[in-house]
Amino acid sequence: MGREIGILGGSFDPVHRGHLALAHAAREAFGLDEVRLLPCAQQALKARAATRAEDRCAMLRLALAGERGLTLDCREVFRGGRTYTVETLRALRRELPGARLWFVMGMDSVADFPRWREPGVLVGLCEWIVFDRPGVAEPAAVFDPRLLAHRLRGPLCDVSSTAVRRQVAEGGAMRYSIGDLEARYLRARHLYEGTSP
Ligand code: ATP
């Protein structure tokens, strides 16, 4: 039988507990063999310049150590430039013939989807798993019903990278948002200090 591979793409700037909750929930609910976390170089739709890829990948490595079934795939950051999911999925399908691919994302990404590159092609390249996100309603018009074929509802995790960056800039507690090792890493390198979140 082919392998069932989940893909969680994002900026991971920085990785937080919401990402891990999303990946584990998808893996358990849909019996996936593995969920790959795939940081992008520079997300096409985000205005803010991302923190250096080396730092985002290093924090992901710390966060994923000991997390069963979650792996890290840094291909997009090494390729550099803008990140287009459609290209990454084409490459993964070539590399993993016989595997079924499941793209995992939060509800906020469903609203963005029509602005992704080649959305009409992309939607047919994999299965889609969508997780509810606190404060984000289902869009009134969804690009394609296949996007909402596999829904994951709760438990919700009210964390975002924006909130973590704000916590760092304001000197707030991060204990419930990110892991201790990642917190230590970003403090040691003064990441996100004095920047607008
Ligand atoms: P930012 O606050 O900088 O926009 P983010 O917290 O949304 O970042 P990303 O790395 O952009 O993090 O997210 C990658 C994917 O994970 C997206 O599909 C996003 O919807 C999803 N995601 C992130 N946090 C959560 C969460 N708390 N609950 C559900 N989905 C989430």
Side-chain angles (χ1 to χ4, degrees):
M1 218 176 71
R3 279 166 56 76
E4 306 282 345
I5 311 277
I7 297 144
L8 171 54
S11 313
F12 301 103
D13 195 12
V15 60
H16 55 69
R17 295 200 198 277
H19 293 125
L20 301 187
L22 176 58
H24 279 303
R27 197 172 79 83
E28 282 161 24
F30 297 96
L32 309 183
D33 296 297
E34 171 192 344
V35 175
R36 291 188 186 192
L37 279 71
L38 224 139
C40 60
Q42 175 66 55
Q43 217 177 49
L45 298 180
K46 287 198 180 178
R48 185 180 171 280
T51 302
R52 286 186 334 132
E54 289 81 354
D55 287 324
R56 289 182 292 127
C57 286
M59 289 187 279
L60 272 161
R61 248 175 241 117
L62 293 172
L64 295 183
E67 296 287 343
R68 230 181 103 242
L70 306 191
T71 57
L72 180 60
D73 184 335
C74 288
R75 71 181 60 220
E76 291 189 349
V77 300
F78 295 131
R79 194 180 64 200
R82 294 233 177 251
T83 295
Y84 297 109
T85 305
V86 68
E87 287 162 17
T88 303
L89 277 174
R90 282 193 184 113
L92 284 167
R93 279 167 60 105
R94 278 195 301 272
E95 280 167 37
L96 301 165
R100 184 154 49 163
L101 303 180
W102 301 73
F103 198 90
V104 183
M105 62 189 184
M107 185 58 85
D108 52 313
S109 300
V110 175
D112 284 343
F113 192 85
R115 295 191 291 141
W116 292 15
R117 180 168 270 202
E118 298 181 57
V121 175
L122 174 58
V123 73
L125 292 183
C126 62
E127 304 288 334
W128 298 87
I129 300 174
V130 171
F131 204 62
D132 284 341
R133 203 164 173 182
V136 181
E138 182 181 322
V142 174
F143 179 78
D144 188 298
R146 283 175 284 181
L147 291 176
L148 293 184
H150 308 287
R151 289 283 291 275
L152 264 175
R153 296 167 200 271
L156 300 177
C157 185
D158 195 5
V159 186
S160 67
S161 297
T162 305
V164 174
R165 293 193 298 272
R166 188 172 304 126
Q167 284 162 351
V168 178
E170 292 171 358
M174 291 180 284
R175 170 155 231 154
Y176 298 102
S177 316
I178 65 172
D180 288 344
L181 294 177
E182 299 88 282
R184 215 176 291 164
Y185 181 98
L186 63 83
R187 278 207 198 91
R189 286 158 186 81
H190 305 288
L191 300 179
Y192 311 115
E193 289 175 7
T195 56
S196 75

